[in-house]
């Protein structure tokens, strides 16, 4: 009898423990679904899709609560996405590939790309020390001017925002096109909002970053625009909605709602009538915290270049957020291009498994599901060869090795 009672007691305890575990798991799942989605951003004009989705009430429209937070640096964004402190963020599109390959983080760390946020709208700014010596898009003058400064001062420093990030890649492509030996100069990492202040005190001779920090340097008289990123590669990929891996799988429905809200904000932003309103909001202290007029002018494609160079008007290749669906589609070919640059510029000694990494980190199926539900056209140009505007070398994403054999380092 005692043996039977003990068995019944053990069975009862096991059943209760199982019940408690199921209840705890259910409670955790319900709580997680009710938690607000946490999205970060860096103070840049191209954080607009996330900020405007919040300001226009689009997250609420699609039934998801979102908390938007300003972050201090791309490294901070990386760490918070990986730990889950952020569910996602406005992010350099190439950052997940930089981190995964070990260029900009711990190799093998997975950050997922849900959709693209914008194209174009970055710039290379040179200090006024170069004013009158090299002008807008005058690439053949860059190397001799830098060489002269190196001879006089022994060091020339350029800044970008994250190793292997887009600003790093535009800077290095610019140097390659200009014929500038990248080993001859120092390249440092500075968070975007700190670029102008660092140039003011002479910490760098030039930098590559997103707007409005190119325009702000001009307005404050500390530098001038030598080239815009769309001059290097018209309609290049720039920022993406990058999310935590666990969030993308466990809260897939919430992520879809977030993507729909951001997609609608991107469509809204591409209407020129709305850009003045967007600039006024983005310029506020909780967001970019700078003059709305600088944000607005470059959002509209009107670039005061500084250094008495006048105004450059970009009519069709300024910062765009949707372009009939062409912008938001996360292409694997662009991921492969970015990783090929890591090999090209010596970040990686050997070629990574390009396609496998792109397949792993890009949530292309999810994007297509969201796009179709919103009747947004999905482009059919992924994995097709393309070339940069200024560098005419053709890049075939199915054969990066052939590209690396002919492209300039």
């Amino acid at each position: 009898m005692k043996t039977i009672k003990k068995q019944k007691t053990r069975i009862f305890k096991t059943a209760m423990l199982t019940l408690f575990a199921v209840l705890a798991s259910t409670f955790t799942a319900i709580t997680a679904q009710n938690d607000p989605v946490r999205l970060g951003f860096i103070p840049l004009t191209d954080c607009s899709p996330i900020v405007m989705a919040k300001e226009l009430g689009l997250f609420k429209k699609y039934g998801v609560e979102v908390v938007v937070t300003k972050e201090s640096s791309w490294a901070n964004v990386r760490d918070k996405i990986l730990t889950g402190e952020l569910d996602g963020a406005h992010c350099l599109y190439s950052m997940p590939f930089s981190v995964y390959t070990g260029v900009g983080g711990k190799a093998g760390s997975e950050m997922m790309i849900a959709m693209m946020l914008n194209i174009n709208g970055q710039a290379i700014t040179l200090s006024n020390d170069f004013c009158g010596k090299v002008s807008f898009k005058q690439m053949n003058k860059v190397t001799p001017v830098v060489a002269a400064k190196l001879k006089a001062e022994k060091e020339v420093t350029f800044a970008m925002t994250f190793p292997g990030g887009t600003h790093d890649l535009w800077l290095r492509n610019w140097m390659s096109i200009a014929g500038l030996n990248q080993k001859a100069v120092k390249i440092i990492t500075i968070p975007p909002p700190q670029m102008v202040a660092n140039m003011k005190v002479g910490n760098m001779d030039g930098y590559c970053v997103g707007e409005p920090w190119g325009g702000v340097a001009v307005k404050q008289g500390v530098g001038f625009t030598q080239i815009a990123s769309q001059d290097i590669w018209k309609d290049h990929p720039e920022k993406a909605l990058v999310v935590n891996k666990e969030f993308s799988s466990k809260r897939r429905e919430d992520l879809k709602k977030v993507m729909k809200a951001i997609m609608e904000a991107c469509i809204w932003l591409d209407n020129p009538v709305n850009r003045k309103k967007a600039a006024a909001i983005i310029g506020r202290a909780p967001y970019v915290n700078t003059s709305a007029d600088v944000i607005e002018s470059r959002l509209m494609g009107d670039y005061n270049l500084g250094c008495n160079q006048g105004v450059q008007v970009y009519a069709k290749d300024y910062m765009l957020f949707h372009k009939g669906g062409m912008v938001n589609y996360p292409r694997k070919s662009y991921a492969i291009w970015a990783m090929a640059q890591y090999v090209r510029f010596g970040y990686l000694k050997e070629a990574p498994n390009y396609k496998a990494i792109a397949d792993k980190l890009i949530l292309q199926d999810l994007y297509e599901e969201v796009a179709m539900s919103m009747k947004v056209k999905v482009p059919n140009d992924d994995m097709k060869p393309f070339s940069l505007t200024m560098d005419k070398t053709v890049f075939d994403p199915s054969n990066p090795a052939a590209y690396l054999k002919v492209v300039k380092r």
Side-chain angles (χ1 to χ4, degrees):
M1 288 292 292
K2 288 183 179 180
T3 302
I4 293 172
K5 284 184 178 180
K6 286 182 179 179
Q7 287 176 342
K8 287 183 177 179
T9 301
R10 282 199 296 269
I11 292 169
F12 177 76
K13 287 181 178 179
T14 301
M16 291 304 293
L17 287 171
T18 302
L19 177 61
F20 285 138
V22 170
L23 289 172
S25 177
T26 303
F27 177 77
T28 300
I30 292 172
T31 303
Q33 290 298 322
N34 291 330
D35 281 347
V37 176
R38 299 154 298 179
L39 297 180
F41 71 90
I42 292 290
L44 290 161
T45 302
D46 50 30
C47 73
S48 295
I50 288 177
V51 170
M52 293 314 301
K54 181 73 172 178
E55 290 283 339
L56 294 171
L58 297 176
F59 292 127
K60 287 185 179 180
K61 173 183 174 179
Y62 287 97
V64 62
E65 184 182 353
V66 173
V67 175
V68 173
T69 61
K70 183 191 288 190
E71 304 300 329
S72 59
S73 69
W74 292 122
N76 191 48
V77 168
R78 173 201 61 198
D79 295 344
K80 287 186 175 182
I81 290 177
L82 288 174
T83 61
E85 188 174 342
L86 286 173
D87 296 309
H90 149 253
C91 205
L92 303 161
Y93 101 86
S94 56
M95 185 190 289
F97 314 110
S98 172
V99 173
Y100 188 86
T101 57
V103 172
K106 183 180 178 182
S109 300
E110 296 180 30
M111 303 164 68
M112 319 303 289
I113 292 183
M115 65 184 292
M116 296 297 297
L117 298 179
N118 76 294
I119 57 176
N120 303 325
Q122 321 302 296
I124 289 176
T125 301
L126 296 181
S127 76
N128 284 336
D129 289 347
F130 295 102
C131 183
K133 300 173 183 176
V134 56
S135 57
F136 180 64
K137 291 204 292 188
Q138 196 177 34
M139 302 300 288
N140 63 326
K141 290 290 185 71
V142 172
T143 296
V145 168
V146 170
K149 189 171 178 63
L150 278 168
K151 186 175 181 180
E153 301 183 20
K154 308 301 181 187
E155 186 172 83
V156 170
T157 301
F158 293 123
M160 47 77 181
T161 63
F162 188 83
T166 53
H167 303 133
D168 187 16
L169 299 185
W170 311 144
L171 177 66
R172 292 177 187 275
N173 271 269
W174 172 77
M175 294 169 71
S176 176
I177 293 165
L180 184 59
N181 181 358
Q182 298 183 31
K183 293 181 179 179
V185 302
K186 184 178 181 182
I187 298 177
I188 60 175
T189 303
I190 300 286
Q194 297 177 24
M195 287 292 191
V196 177
N198 274 273
M199 183 171 276
K200 271 185 181 178
V201 297
N203 287 343
M204 84 273 278
D205 299 281
Y207 61 76
C208 183
V209 74
E211 297 302 340
W213 306 115
V216 170
V218 171
K219 183 171 183 176
Q220 294 187 7
V222 299
F224 65 95
T225 301
Q226 202 280 321
I227 198 168
S229 56
Q230 55 263 41
D231 295 313
I232 298 172
W233 179 3
K234 181 183 176 182
D235 291 351
H236 66 77
E238 185 51 43
K239 302 300 189 302
L241 174 63
V242 174
V243 297
N244 171 271
K245 182 181 180 181
E246 186 175 2
F247 170 75
S248 71
S249 60
K250 292 188 175 180
R251 297 184 64 181
R252 182 182 175 91
E253 292 306 310
D254 281 341
L255 176 53
K256 285 161 64 176
K257 293 173 184 177
V258 166
M259 292 169 68
K260 288 176 183 179
I262 291 174
M263 183 83 78
E264 188 167 329
C266 287
I267 294 169
W268 183 89
L269 282 160
D270 264 8
N271 184 340
V273 174
N274 295 326
R275 293 203 170 195
K276 185 179 183 69
K277 179 179 179 180
I281 292 171
I282 296 300
R284 295 174 187 167
Y287 301 126
V288 178
N289 192 26
T290 196
S291 302
D293 62 332
V294 177
I295 297 175
E296 182 186 345
S297 62
R298 295 211 169 187
L299 258 182
M300 298 302 292
D302 296 332
Y303 283 49
N304 176 4
L305 299 173
C307 188
N308 299 313
Q309 296 182 109
V311 174
Q312 171 72 17
V313 177
Y314 292 92
K316 294 182 179 179
D317 51 355
Y318 55 154
M319 189 180 290
L320 294 169
F321 300 92
H322 184 64
K323 201 176 181 181
M326 293 300 292
V327 171
N328 306 116
Y329 184 51
R331 292 169 176 81
K332 295 177 181 179
S333 55
Y334 293 166
I336 294 169
W337 179 86
M339 288 184 279
Q341 305 308 301
Y342 304 158
V343 179
R344 174 186 181 186
F345 296 124
Y347 276 130
L348 297 177
K349 292 181 180 179
E350 297 180 356
N353 191 334
Y354 297 106
K355 185 63 165 53
I357 296 171
D359 288 342
K360 182 188 289 286
L361 301 183
I362 297 178
L363 303 175
Q364 208 170 71
D365 290 345
L366 178 66
Y367 174 81
E368 290 172 0
E369 184 181 340
V370 169
M372 285 188 287
S373 73
M374 297 186 72
K375 296 181 171 53
V376 170
K377 183 179 179 181
V378 175
N380 61 358
D381 59 353
D382 198 10
M383 297 304 293
K384 293 182 179 179
F386 58 87
S387 62
L388 274 62
T389 305
M390 195 167 280
D391 179 354
K392 303 300 182 182
T393 306
V394 175
F395 181 79
D396 183 350
S398 65
N399 191 5
Y403 161 85
L404 290 170
K405 285 181 180 178
V406 300
V407 74
K408 291 194 297 182
R409 294 299 196 264

